[in-house]
Amino acid sequence: MNRRAAALCGAAAVVAGMITAVPAGASAGSTTATATAPRTTLSADSAKLTWKKCGTTSYPTLQCASLKVPLDHANPRGERITLALSRVPHTAKKSQGPLLVNPGGPGGSGLTLAGFVAASLPKAVASQYDVIGFDPRGVGASRPAPNCKPGHFAPVRPDSVPNTPALEKANLDRVEAFAKACGTKYGKLLPYLDTVSAVQDMDAIRHALGAKKINYFGYSYGTYLGAVYAKLYPDRVRRMVLDSIVDPTGVWYDDNLAQDYAFNDRHQAFMAWVAKHNATYKLGTDPEKIEAKWYAMRAALAKRPADKTVGASELEDTFVPGGYFNGFWPYLAEAFAAFVNDKNDDPLVEAYENFGAVDAAGDNSYSIYTSVQCRDASWPRDWEQWREDNWKVHEKAPFMTWSNAWYNAPCAFWPTDSLEPVDVSNDSVPPVLLFQATDDAATPYEGGVTVHHLLRGSSLVVEQGGGNHGITLSGNACLDKHLATYLTNGKVPRGGGAIDAVCKKLPDPSPMSTKASPSRGATLHGLLGFRG
């Protein structure tokens, strides 16, 4: 899931039963699978990159380039599309090669992430790598960049919880219209927007860089992207870091249902934090009663949206980011308290504009998110199953179950057939370093454990009690030490059990201070986005 926003604190713009690998030439409607790795389809002449300066105030050494790749890698002489690349070049005398980075999604732009990773790693480590960012096919500055239905998330949307037939129909009409628009506008493109095609693009990037092997660092969905690359090209992986790990045995319908329970738990952790800071927010000291006030706020907004902008669905959009990163809690708590205690909805509207509103870039990101997830794996086509499954989950986890359901529901009506998921189990790849927080909501802990078992020789580092999504390069020195050591010399911790190393979580944030400055964690989570 990937929804872009800007942090109020001033951070950069935000946001089992497996089969085998999909063949390079899979076409619309194909569900055939093969374990054969697709070959690179670029010639030496077409693979040259021209780097130009594109630095920003925050990342002045960034360079940019573009690379043309086949739309269909099984037809290398056919239509081509363009990938946007970024680079922070190595400065050490000896290079350890390219380090490709990806922020997740699907649909996340990785261009700025290259600058962040290069700036956040210890200088002695970053200087040894060419840190390579890229916008995957269809994303951001890559071309074409689909936008299926501009304004799909424009407020005020129907209440996400379909308590009446009219609300269910209104939401169904929205998602069906989105799927239809994607098929009408991009029907020829959709069969080639999938994870395996993106992985083949990554190998084309490797080829264009003149590297025999790549190093890779992926967050969230980027962990699945990396695991699939390792499956198809194990001999081309040098080092690989996966942070906040997708469960590959549940892509994507089951994974989304699992998220709902985890996000509900994380929302309740936020309620407990608000209770702890009653002196500041004056919402009470009982988390359950505070949660009741939150749902009362939701009900009030469903009847009368704040500033004709923030209804019940937009409120969910605003508070979901708090499940990804607790650094946003003080801003959300301030808006919550102002609404309840002072009948002032201005802070809530401001929070929505900064955390929940979707701009044109977000529309593009969502278009790719749906295109990839709907194509990657099978989804129920019978709406009765969606209804039954989501009401069952909603009973125990009401916070975002139906919001998440509608976010993914275009897949019930998607105009292309689905491929088979990739079996990422791997005995050939070098040791992979895995990072996972125990209370991560977006990619629950079980995913990290599963991938640890599937990737032989991998090492799992756990942030005990941590609930943020994307945990390295966010200020936890223990995690970052393991990362720096691995990128320096390839050594992974070995604990001799199911977990190889444990790090304590960072303290939860304090209530907002006017003197507070953007943290590294806030900057990272701005780049990772939400729903990712």
PDB file of all heavy atoms in Angstrom, residues 489-501:
ATOM      1  N   ASN A 489      31.204  -5.828   5.161  1.00  0.00           N
ATOM      2  CA  ASN A 489      31.975  -7.055   4.954  1.00  0.00           C
ATOM      3  C   ASN A 489      31.133  -8.301   4.674  1.00  0.00           C
ATOM      4  O   ASN A 489      31.676  -9.398   4.546  1.00  0.00           O
ATOM      5  CB  ASN A 489      32.887  -7.313   6.151  1.00  0.00           C
ATOM      6  CG  ASN A 489      32.123  -7.384   7.468  1.00  0.00           C
ATOM      7  OD1 ASN A 489      30.968  -7.828   7.497  1.00  0.00           O
ATOM      8  ND2 ASN A 489      32.744  -6.942   8.560  1.00  0.00           N
ATOM      9  N   GLY A 490      29.813  -8.148   4.588  1.00  0.00           N
ATOM     10  CA  GLY A 490      28.956  -9.281   4.268  1.00  0.00           C
ATOM     11  C   GLY A 490      28.644 -10.194   5.435  1.00  0.00           C
ATOM     12  O   GLY A 490      27.950 -11.209   5.257  1.00  0.00           O
ATOM     13  N   LYS A 491      29.102  -9.851   6.640  1.00  0.00           N
ATOM     14  CA  LYS A 491      28.867 -10.709   7.795  1.00  0.00           C
ATOM     15  C   LYS A 491      27.481 -10.466   8.384  1.00  0.00           C
ATOM     16  O   LYS A 491      27.072  -9.329   8.572  1.00  0.00           O
ATOM     17  CB  LYS A 491      29.940 -10.468   8.860  1.00  0.00           C
ATOM     18  CG  LYS A 491      31.336 -10.918   8.439  1.00  0.00           C
ATOM     19  CD  LYS A 491      32.347 -10.705   9.559  1.00  0.00           C
ATOM     20  CE  LYS A 491      33.738 -11.182   9.137  1.00  0.00           C
ATOM     21  NZ  LYS A 491      34.751 -10.964  10.216  1.00  0.00           N
ATOM     22  N   VAL A 492      26.776 -11.554   8.674  1.00  0.00           N
ATOM     23  CA  VAL A 492      25.455 -11.480   9.296  1.00  0.00           C
ATOM     24  C   VAL A 492      25.532 -12.069  10.695  1.00  0.00           C
ATOM     25  O   VAL A 492      26.360 -12.953  10.955  1.00  0.00           O
ATOM     26  CB  VAL A 492      24.392 -12.226   8.470  1.00  0.00           C
ATOM     27  CG1 VAL A 492      24.220 -11.592   7.102  1.00  0.00           C
ATOM     28  CG2 VAL A 492      24.748 -13.710   8.343  1.00  0.00           C
ATOM     29  N   PRO A 493      24.691 -11.598  11.614  1.00  0.00           N
ATOM     30  CA  PRO A 493      24.685 -12.198  12.955  1.00  0.00           C
ATOM     31  C   PRO A 493      24.128 -13.617  12.908  1.00  0.00           C
ATOM     32  O   PRO A 493      23.249 -13.921  12.112  1.00  0.00           O
ATOM     33  CB  PRO A 493      23.772 -11.271  13.756  1.00  0.00           C
ATOM     34  CG  PRO A 493      22.896 -10.623  12.738  1.00  0.00           C
ATOM     35  CD  PRO A 493      23.728 -10.491  11.497  1.00  0.00           C
ATOM     36  N   ARG A 494      24.653 -14.462  13.756  1.00  0.00           N
ATOM     37  CA  ARG A 494      24.186 -15.844  13.842  1.00  0.00           C
ATOM     38  C   ARG A 494      23.826 -16.144  15.283  1.00  0.00           C
ATOM     39  O   ARG A 494      24.702 -16.162  16.156  1.00  0.00           O
ATOM     40  CB  ARG A 494      25.265 -16.827  13.363  1.00  0.00           C
ATOM     41  CG  ARG A 494      25.595 -16.721  11.883  1.00  0.00           C
ATOM     42  CD  ARG A 494      24.401 -17.056  11.014  1.00  0.00           C
ATOM     43  NE  ARG A 494      24.726 -17.063   9.588  1.00  0.00           N
ATOM     44  CZ  ARG A 494      23.823 -17.043   8.621  1.00  0.00           C
ATOM     45  NH1 ARG A 494      22.526 -17.010   8.940  1.00  0.00           N
ATOM     46  NH2 ARG A 494      24.182 -17.054   7.358  1.00  0.00           N
ATOM     47  N   GLY A 495      22.543 -16.375  15.553  1.00  0.00           N
ATOM     48  CA  GLY A 495      22.105 -16.613  16.920  1.00  0.00           C
ATOM     49  C   GLY A 495      21.870 -18.063  17.254  1.00  0.00           C
ATOM     50  O   GLY A 495      21.646 -18.412  18.408  1.00  0.00           O
ATOM     51  N   GLY A 496      21.867 -18.907  16.244  1.00  0.00           N
ATOM     52  CA  GLY A 496      21.693 -20.329  16.491  1.00  0.00           C
ATOM     53  C   GLY A 496      20.260 -20.752  16.745  1.00  0.00           C
ATOM     54  O   GLY A 496      20.001 -21.880  17.130  1.00  0.00           O
ATOM     55  N   GLY A 497      19.303 -19.835  16.520  1.00  0.00           N
ATOM     56  CA  GLY A 497      17.899 -20.175  16.725  1.00  0.00           C
ATOM     57  C   GLY A 497      17.036 -19.531  15.660  1.00  0.00           C
ATOM     58  O   GLY A 497      17.509 -19.167  14.581  1.00  0.00           O
ATOM     59  N   ALA A 498      15.751 -19.371  15.983  1.00  0.00           N
ATOM     60  CA  ALA A 498      14.826 -18.786  15.018  1.00  0.00           C
ATOM     61  C   ALA A 498      15.126 -17.318  14.759  1.00  0.00           C
ATOM     62  O   ALA A 498      14.823 -16.791  13.686  1.00  0.00           O
ATOM     63  CB  ALA A 498      13.394 -18.946  15.524  1.00  0.00           C
ATOM     64  N   ILE A 499      15.718 -16.656  15.756  1.00  0.00           N
ATOM     65  CA  ILE A 499      16.106 -15.247  15.639  1.00  0.00           C
ATOM     66  C   ILE A 499      17.603 -15.155  15.837  1.00  0.00           C
ATOM     67  O   ILE A 499      18.175 -15.795  16.722  1.00  0.00           O
ATOM     68  CB  ILE A 499      15.366 -14.394  16.699  1.00  0.00           C
ATOM     69  CG1 ILE A 499      13.853 -14.465  16.483  1.00  0.00           C
ATOM     70  CG2 ILE A 499      15.851 -12.952  16.671  1.00  0.00           C
ATOM     71  CD1 ILE A 499      13.053 -13.819  17.595  1.00  0.00           C
ATOM     72  N   ASP A 500      18.257 -14.356  15.035  1.00  0.00           N
ATOM     73  CA  ASP A 500      19.715 -14.264  15.100  1.00  0.00           C
ATOM     74  C   ASP A 500      20.218 -13.104  15.943  1.00  0.00           C
ATOM     75  O   ASP A 500      21.329 -13.146  16.458  1.00  0.00           O
ATOM     76  CB  ASP A 500      20.277 -14.158  13.678  1.00  0.00           C
ATOM     77  CG  ASP A 500      19.992 -15.406  12.868  1.00  0.00           C
ATOM     78  OD1 ASP A 500      20.654 -16.426  13.105  1.00  0.00           O
ATOM     79  OD2 ASP A 500      19.076 -15.368  12.024  1.00  0.00           O
ATOM     80  N   ALA A 501      19.416 -12.062  16.073  1.00  0.00           N
ATOM     81  CA  ALA A 501      19.805 -10.929  16.909  1.00  0.00           C
ATOM     82  C   ALA A 501      18.549 -10.162  17.291  1.00  0.00           C
ATOM     83  O   ALA A 501      17.574 -10.120  16.535  1.00  0.00           O
ATOM     84  CB  ALA A 501      20.793 -10.011  16.182  1.00  0.00           C
TER      85      ALA A 501
END
